[in-house]
Amino acid sequence: TCSFNIIFLVLLGISAGQECGVGSQCRTLAGVTTCNNCPGGTVCIQETTLSDLYCQYTFCLPQGMFCEGHVGTCCSGMECGLATADAAMKTCNVLSNTATTTASATTTAQATSTPAIIIVTEATTTPTATTAASAPCITEGGAKIGLPCVFPFTNKGVTYTSCTTSGGFDKPWCSTATDMFGKHVLGNWGECNAACQTEQDTTTAAPAACTTTSGADAGKRCVFPFTHKGVLHTACTYAGGFSKPWCSTRVDYWGRHKEEYWGNCDDTCEVEALWG
């Protein structure tokens, strides 16, 4: 019994040490904390008086917003469901109105003489235009899948109002959680779906003139800053004992150099000073 209690406490400690995400269970009904710190814009609350507690948005979810997985409650007059028969995920949609109004379009006028004269007037029907709710901007890959993008968000001092390829990513990504200051919470990101707006990233790429002439990834733009073996580089470098200055052409989510993506810098690139 003693060993079982120790194992249980260890597992509980591991679980409680994890960061919460949007829609994550943050506390059980019995009051046991299951993760730490709900993301910005959310609060640890119950869905019902008998349910566990989850990190839910503090605002009601607007039309078209993703609503599955304990993320929150749709605004008044809306329900959580599939917008179309082929929709992949549930979103908040306006409640359907099933009432049908039938207008009488026939007017009968009887003359004073026989036979009666019947005048039938045909009403003009104006077709009602149906506007489908725009698809929500949610993540379809990466660390957090199926969650709505949070805009604006700030990452490494740069504020983004749409998805970005910042950091040398092939696919645009966005933050799915920010802190109270709007700063991106590490680990809470995902690749944007086709409904998202994307900006071309210009914050991490070096000027077009600074490219690689040889090496593993020749003919590509250098990406600054990049971190290699714990050292941050803002220009081409001789680090590692290279005879020619080199740069990274791709970094990971944390700005760390990807080993297979590098090249020797051309003559126009700025180079770090040699010391010693």
Side-chain angles (χ1 to χ4, degrees), residues 127-152:
T128 302
T130 302
T131 304
S134 57
C137 176
I138 59 178
T139 57
E140 61 181 8
K144 302 292 183 180
I145 302 175
L147 295 181
C149 291
V150 176
F151 299 117

Side-chain angles (χ1 to χ4, degrees), residues 22-238:
V22 178
S24 296
Q25 182 192 49
C26 48
R27 193 180 307 153
T28 67
L29 182 61
V32 178
T33 300
T34 54
C35 63
N36 294 325
N37 303 324
C38 285
T42 67
V43 64
C44 186
I45 58 175
Q46 289 179 296
E47 291 181 310
T48 67
T49 56
L50 298 178
S51 71
D52 293 324
L53 287 77
Y54 299 90
C55 293
Q56 300 187 55
Y57 286 111
T58 55
F59 53 86
C60 68
L61 308 183
Q63 183 177 359
M65 186 168 179
F66 172 83
C67 58
E68 282 187 300
H70 311 291
V71 297
T73 305
C74 295
C75 293
S76 177
M78 283 182 278
E79 61 182 353
C80 184
L82 299 176
T84 59
D86 58 349
M89 299 175 184
K90 292 182 179 180
T91 55
C92 292
N93 307 296
V94 177
L95 288 169
S96 57
N97 185 5
T98 56
T100 302
T101 303
T102 303
S104 176
T106 305
T107 303
T108 304
Q110 183 173 354
T112 56
S113 59
T114 304
I117 300 174
I118 300 175
I119 303 173
V120 179
T121 304
E122 183 178 355
T124 302
T125 303
T126 303
T128 302
T130 302
T131 304
S134 57
C137 176
I138 59 178
T139 57
E140 61 181 8
K144 302 292 183 180
I145 302 175
L147 295 181
C149 291
V150 176
F151 299 117
F153 68 90
T154 300
N155 185 45
K156 297 180 181 178
V158 180
T159 300
Y160 301 92
T161 57
S162 59
C163 297
T164 179
T165 54
S166 175
F169 281 71
D170 292 328
K171 296 181 179 179
W173 65 276
C174 69
S175 175
T176 58
T178 57
D179 61 18
M180 63 183 296
F181 304 104
K183 294 181 179 179
H184 168 59
V185 179
L186 289 179
N188 292 272
W189 68 278
E191 296 170 351
C192 301
N193 67 0
C196 301
Q197 291 186 343
T198 303
E199 62 183 8
Q200 294 297 322
D201 176 64
T202 58
T203 59
T204 59
C210 183
T211 59
T212 57
T213 58
S214 58
D217 201 16
K220 299 294 178 64
R221 289 192 302 168
C222 294
V223 174
F224 301 117
F226 67 91
T227 301
H228 180 58
K229 295 184 178 179
V231 178
L232 181 68
H233 300 280
T234 57
C236 296
T237 180
Y238 291 93

Side-chain angles (χ1 to χ4, degrees), residues 252-263:
D252 64 14
Y253 178 72
W254 292 273
R256 296 177 301 199
H257 165 59
K258 290 189 174 182
E259 292 297 333
E260 64 272 27
Y261 295 98
W262 68 276

